[in-house]
Amino acid sequence: GDTSSYEAFHNFYTTHDLSVASNYDIMLAQMNVDSFIDYVAVSDFGVNTSWPWNREFWCGRAPGSKWQWTVPDLDRCYQSGNVNSSLIDDFKNSYPLFQALRANPNFVNRLLQRYAAHLGSTFYPARFDAILNQAANDVLGEMPRHIARWKSQGGIQSLASRQAQLDEITTFVANRPPQAISQLQSQLGLSRGTASLAVTLSPAGGGNLRVAGVPMTPQYNTTLTLFKNTPVELTAEPAPGYSFVSWSDGSTNPPIELTLTANQGITANF
């Protein structure tokens, strides 16, 4: 991408009504909407209060390349005082691209269910804690020297204070999901409620499932909390050496669409 292509992209969404399906389709041809939703979800989940000056996006120069988003840092995330907060209000009031996309119901549905899928997989506390603990242990041997070097300049004061900060992150991640779900609905003016989708992979190890494009992490969690009355795409992906056979409802198409009205279970047979 370059400045002129971005300006053309920006000009389109600020001058066209994206509730019109044909206009939204033009946007989908220019941007990776899941990448943008992931940026919103990561920023909101951790309550990244530095998001206004941490908006980074890029696009390749090859024909057909789409705009993608990235999160450059998370240093202001996971603070205990923000566990009940939301950035969705910031996005809807201060981010023109979010404002434009919000007019389209398909975008809203995808945002809701992809964010919810991340809460049950990417941000699932057991998975998050495993990654956090591994990263913390990887540098533990360096911490005494680091503390000695930077303590006097406002850095980490002790191993105990470092552990307290890690514990704060762990507590935040454990308590954040219901608050994120509640705030997401409230800030978007919705009251759809949620239901559980319990997934069985048969046999275990025979494959995995993507929910709204997000891969599940069955080693940590197989029951997702999704929004009611909101379509969600499920895609079965066989593991090497396996093939997809069917869903428990008899469908043999790897991608299916569900709309939950109550708690439900589904099995992917490989």
Side-chain angles (χ1 to χ4, degrees):
D2 54 28
T3 300
S4 61
S5 62
Y6 177 75
E7 288 178 344
F9 172 68
H10 178 271
N11 181 66
F12 184 85
Y13 71 73
T14 55
T15 58
H16 290 75
D17 180 3
L18 299 191
S19 67
V20 177
S22 58
N23 290 339
Y24 185 63
D25 287 342
I26 290 173
M27 288 293 290
L28 293 182
Q30 298 183 64
M31 67 178 289
N32 182 337
V33 71
D34 282 349
S35 173
F36 180 72
I37 288 172
D38 291 348
Y39 169 81
V40 170
V42 169
S43 299
D44 180 70
F45 178 75
V47 193
N48 187 8
T49 55
S50 61
W51 78 269
W53 51 90
N54 274 342
R55 279 176 278 183
E56 295 189 5
F57 39 88
W58 61 278
C59 182
R61 294 179 181 269
S65 295
K66 297 183 180 183
W67 289 99
Q68 316 270 352
W69 280 257
T70 186
V71 179
D73 69 66
L74 299 171
D75 61 314
R76 296 192 179 184
C77 290
Y78 315 118
Q79 298 180 21
S80 58
N82 290 333
V83 71
N84 298 325
S85 300
S86 175
L87 293 182
I88 302 301
D89 56 339
D90 286 0
F91 292 135
K92 73 179 184 181
N93 294 327
S94 306
Y95 200 164
L97 177 56
F98 187 89
Q99 293 168 337
L101 290 168
R102 185 187 169 201
N104 189 280
N106 289 336
F107 171 78
V108 172
N109 289 341
R110 187 69 169 184
L111 169 64
L112 292 173
Q113 299 292 46
R114 190 170 173 88
Y115 194 159
H118 277 305
L119 291 173
S121 57
T122 312
F123 306 145
Y124 193 70
R127 177 181 185 271
F128 196 105
D129 291 350
I131 295 171
L132 177 65
N133 291 336
Q134 181 63 59
N137 288 333
D138 284 346
V139 297
L140 181 59
E142 299 296 324
M143 291 313 300
R145 188 164 63 92
H146 177 91
I147 292 168
R149 173 66 180 84
W150 298 107
K151 178 178 180 179
S152 63
Q153 299 185 43
I156 296 172
Q157 297 297 294
S158 66
L159 287 176
S161 66
R162 174 179 184 262
Q163 186 60 51
Q165 292 174 348
L166 293 172
D167 291 344
E168 180 180 10
I169 294 173
T170 297
T171 300
F172 179 99
V173 171
N175 294 330
R176 180 62 176 157
Q179 303 302 327
I181 288 284
S182 175
Q183 288 281 1
L184 182 59
Q185 291 197 94
S186 175
Q187 294 298 336
L188 294 178
L190 304 172
S191 56
R192 299 186 186 183
T194 60
S196 295
L197 178 67
V199 174
T200 300
L201 303 172
S202 180
N208 198 15
L209 194 67
R210 286 182 181 265
V211 180
V214 176
M216 288 187 61
T217 52
Q219 65 270 44
Y220 296 109
N221 180 41
T222 55
T223 300
L224 303 179
T225 298
L226 301 173
F227 287 93
K228 291 182 180 178
N229 304 309
T230 305
V232 61
E233 180 187 75
L234 308 181
T235 304
E237 296 184 332
Y242 288 85
S243 61
F244 175 70
V245 177
S246 66
W247 297 98
S248 49
D249 66 359
S251 173
T252 57
N253 293 322
I256 59 171
E257 185 176 274
L258 292 180
T259 300
L260 299 180
T261 57
N263 295 342
Q264 183 176 333
I266 193 166
T267 298
N269 298 302
F270 298 96

